[in-house]
């Protein structure tokens, strides 16, 4: 009986020896834990760096947008002067109403887009944290990290487009009452096209974040390979 127990012990030891993938040394466990902590620290650092990057870019755009607003202010002053030349009061009031409506539409739409992009930023940060938890289970995540970088770039690019759009003003170019309708239509078409481009940049950012979400979800379903640690 004693010899049989010794034989089984030797056999099990030999089995583990020839299958090293099932064995993790104490140093490997410590290294894995250390790598997880380092990766968590890196994600925290990257997240803060992304936040700072977005803020710095927005500050830079503020200066540019102020200059843009000054240019539009001059055009709007000229527009008000031209409006005084319109004798038909009905046309005058209608033009002012359309002008105000277009400004409101641009303001509301860009505000909505900026809010959506801020939400997408929160989502990508949370997904990055989920990737860390998966990494602690020894799951490969390098491809997802690349997708996260792509999503962050898409968010940053979209935010730039939308904020620049928010600073725009669509002033009608009035020469006389005859061309008033054409001027209004031209400005309206320009606003529609610009908002469409801004919306497309938002959709692109959203799709990039969704791609990350699906990849993370798929990764979390993977069952890590069991390992046997030495006592």
């Amino acid at each position: 009986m004693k010899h049989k127990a010794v034989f089984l012990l030797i056999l099990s030891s030999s089995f583990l020896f020839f299958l090293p993938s099932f064995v993790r040394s104490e140093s490997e466990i410590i290294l894995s834990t250390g790598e997880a902590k380092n990766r968590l620290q890196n994600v925290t650092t990257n997240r803060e760096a992304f936040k700072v990057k977005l803020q710095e870019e927005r500050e830079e755009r503020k200066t540019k947008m102020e200059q843009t607003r000054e240019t539009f202010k001059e055009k709007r002053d000229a527009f008000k002067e031209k409006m005084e030349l319109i004798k038909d009061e009905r046309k005058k009031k209608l033009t002012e109403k359309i002008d105000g409506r277009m400004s409101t539409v641009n303001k509301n739409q860009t505000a909505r887009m900026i809010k959506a992009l801020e939400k997408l930023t929160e989502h990508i940060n949370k997904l990055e944290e989920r990737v860390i938890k998966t990494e602690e289970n020894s799951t490969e995540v390098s491809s997802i990290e690349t997708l996260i970088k792509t999503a962050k770039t898409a968010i940053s690019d979209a935010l730039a487009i939308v904020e620049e759009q928010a600073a725009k003003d669509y002033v009608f170019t009035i020469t006389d009452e005859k061309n008033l309708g054409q001027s209004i239509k031209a400005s309206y078409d320009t606003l529609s096209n610009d908002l469409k481009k801004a919306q497309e940049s938002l959709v692109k950012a959203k799709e990039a974040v969704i791609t990350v979400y699906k990849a993370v979800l798929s990764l979390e379903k993977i069952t890590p390979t069991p390992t046997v640690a030495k006592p």
Side-chain angles (χ1 to χ4, degrees):
M1 187 67 181
K2 182 177 180 182
H3 291 294
K4 185 178 181 180
V6 172
F7 174 75
L8 290 174
L9 179 61
I10 293 173
L11 181 62
S12 62
S13 299
S14 301
F15 177 74
L16 290 176
F17 176 77
F18 286 108
L19 292 174
S21 61
F22 285 91
V23 182
R24 295 178 69 192
S25 66
E26 184 177 352
S27 61
E28 288 176 326
I29 296 172
I30 294 173
L31 180 60
S32 177
T33 303
E35 288 177 346
K37 288 181 178 179
N38 288 338
R39 185 171 289 275
L40 180 60
Q41 181 61 45
N42 288 338
V43 166
T44 303
T45 302
N46 291 339
R47 183 172 57 192
E48 289 302 316
F50 182 54
K51 181 179 179 181
V52 170
K53 177 177 178 291
L54 289 181
Q55 188 60 38
E56 288 177 347
E57 289 175 346
R58 297 182 85 169
E59 289 297 327
E60 289 176 2
R61 284 195 293 273
K62 277 184 181 180
T63 303
K64 183 179 179 180
M65 288 189 290
E66 285 299 324
Q67 295 173 347
T68 301
R69 287 191 178 97
E70 284 298 319
T71 300
F72 282 126
K73 185 177 181 301
E74 294 175 2
K75 292 182 178 180
R76 184 151 291 280
D77 290 340
F79 167 72
K80 289 178 180 179
E81 291 179 4
K82 290 290 185 180
M83 284 291 292
E84 296 299 323
L85 300 177
I86 298 177
K87 304 301 181 183
D88 190 323
E89 285 298 320
R90 186 184 64 83
K91 285 184 179 180
K92 191 173 183 178
K93 288 181 179 179
L94 182 59
T95 300
E96 290 173 343
K97 184 178 180 180
I98 295 173
D99 175 58
R101 177 58 181 166
M102 287 176 61
S103 296
T104 300
V105 167
N106 189 52
K107 180 181 178 181
N108 291 344
Q109 289 298 313
T110 52
R112 174 187 62 80
M113 293 180 200
I114 289 173
K115 186 175 181 180
L117 287 166
E118 289 173 347
K119 285 291 183 182
L120 288 176
T121 302
E122 293 177 8
H123 289 321
I124 201 66
N125 287 336
K126 290 178 180 178
L127 287 170
E128 202 166 15
E129 291 177 359
R130 286 171 64 175
V131 170
I132 282 301
K133 294 178 182 179
T134 308
E135 176 65 14
E136 290 177 352
N137 290 328
S138 301
T139 309
E140 182 59 47
V141 297
S142 58
S143 60
I144 296 183
E145 290 175 341
T146 300
L147 292 176
I148 289 174
K149 290 180 181 178
T150 300
K152 286 183 176 181
T153 299
I155 291 172
S156 178
D157 291 345
L159 194 56
I161 293 172
V162 174
E163 287 189 337
E164 288 176 6
Q165 175 62 32
K168 292 182 179 180
D169 190 6
Y170 295 84
V171 183
F172 305 142
T173 303
I174 300 174
T175 54
D176 53 47
E177 290 188 36
K178 291 182 181 180
N179 83 325
L180 189 56
Q182 294 177 349
S183 177
I184 291 174
K185 185 180 184 304
S187 294
Y188 177 81
D189 289 344
T190 302
L191 170 62
S192 297
N193 290 331
D194 287 351
L195 285 176
K196 182 179 179 181
K197 290 177 182 177
Q199 178 66 25
E200 287 173 351
S201 70
L202 170 60
V203 171
K204 183 178 179 180
K206 182 179 179 180
E207 290 175 346
V209 173
I210 290 175
T211 299
V212 175
Y213 172 75
K214 290 180 178 179
V216 171
L217 197 63
S218 176
L219 196 64
E220 289 175 337
K221 292 179 180 179
I222 299 175
T223 304
T225 303
T227 57
V228 178
K230 288 179 64 176

